[in-house]
Amino acid sequence: MATKAFAIRTENHVADLGDLGTLEFVPEILGDEFLDGYSKVQEAQSALGDEKDLTKLDPVVLRSVYGAMRSFLATLMTPESAERFLRFEVIKGGKTTAHFRTREEADAYASELTGAVRVEDKGMRLPDRVLVEMLEWTTELYSGGDRPTGPSSGSSRASRRAGTASKGSSRSKGSTSTAGRSAR
């Protein structure tokens, strides 16, 4: 009978954003939840095509990509952090009447109200490069890229060197030992 212990993370991951504070991410996430959210990000990114110059892209497409990234990151956060990160407020008569995590939910709620109503994005705004770095970091965390760097007792042994040592000839008429495949 074989026994193996598996480590399950129990402490939140923390993204330190300096003066903006921190955002906490849940310790573990189920694979299908991660994959479903990440596939939405990839789907949005595919609309960019091969274009590298962002100034040539349709702003609507760029907004959808950043929106997908923000939504995905929020699904990985603790509820408190997600609330700070993504927050759309419905404002009527100068007062917040409700708040939501998605623009669509806020717009739907606002459409049911009468009078002067607006939806404002009151979520945490971060530079694009920070969003991209955070996306890469969480992808490593939850997809298994966060591995210990030290040797493991479960590691396989090093492969044998390919080929056999042989004597190669040189212009000096002497022989030099070389490693490599022998000629057949």
Side-chain angles (χ1 to χ4, degrees):
M1 178 174 110
T3 301
K4 175 154 178 68
F6 293 90
I8 303 293
R9 295 180 184 125
T10 57
E11 293 184 30
N12 293 338
H13 305 285
V14 178
D16 184 350
L17 301 170
D19 292 341
L20 295 177
T22 61
L23 292 172
E24 293 192 17
F25 292 79
V26 296
E28 297 282 358
I29 190 162
L30 299 177
D32 57 342
E33 291 173 356
F34 178 83
L35 293 174
D36 289 346
Y38 193 70
S39 67
K40 290 177 185 172
V41 172
Q42 287 183 316
E43 208 173 280
Q45 287 175 330
S46 70
L48 297 175
D50 293 333
E51 184 61 57
K52 301 294 183 210
D53 183 359
L54 297 182
T55 62
K56 294 180 180 177
L57 292 170
D58 180 358
V60 173
V61 173
L62 282 176
R63 277 192 184 95
S64 72
V65 171
Y66 292 128
M69 287 170 47
R70 291 175 54 79
S71 293
F72 173 65
L73 288 169
T75 64
L76 305 173
M77 293 177 189
T78 62
E80 299 80 20
S81 288
E83 180 76 24
R84 286 182 42 233
F85 186 67
L86 276 185
R87 183 181 178 93
F88 295 92
E89 294 184 359
V90 178
I91 300 169
K92 179 178 178 171
K95 294 184 180 186
T96 300
T97 61
H99 58 86
F100 300 89
R101 281 203 200 142
T102 69
R103 180 75 186 220
E104 293 79 18
E105 290 172 321
D107 286 340
Y109 179 81
S111 71
E112 296 173 2
L113 301 177
T114 58
V117 178
R118 69 180 186 280
V119 174
E120 288 187 14
D121 183 350
K122 296 289 189 171
M124 182 183 284
R125 304 306 295 173
L126 297 173
D128 296 344
R129 66 173 176 74
V130 173
L131 281 177
V132 170
E133 286 177 38
M134 201 178 298
L135 180 68
E136 291 170 350
W137 176 63
T138 55
T139 301
E140 285 182 27
L141 284 175
Y142 297 115
S143 67
D146 182 16
R147 303 253 191 261
T149 56
S152 160
S153 60
S155 297
S156 59
R157 284 182 243 145
S159 302
R160 292 185 309 149
R161 289 181 60 172
T164 57
S166 65
K167 300 282 185 185
S169 60
S170 68
R171 292 181 191 200
S172 66
K173 303 288 186 205
S175 58
T176 307
S177 179
T178 62
R181 300 198 184 273
S182 55
R184 290 189 173 166

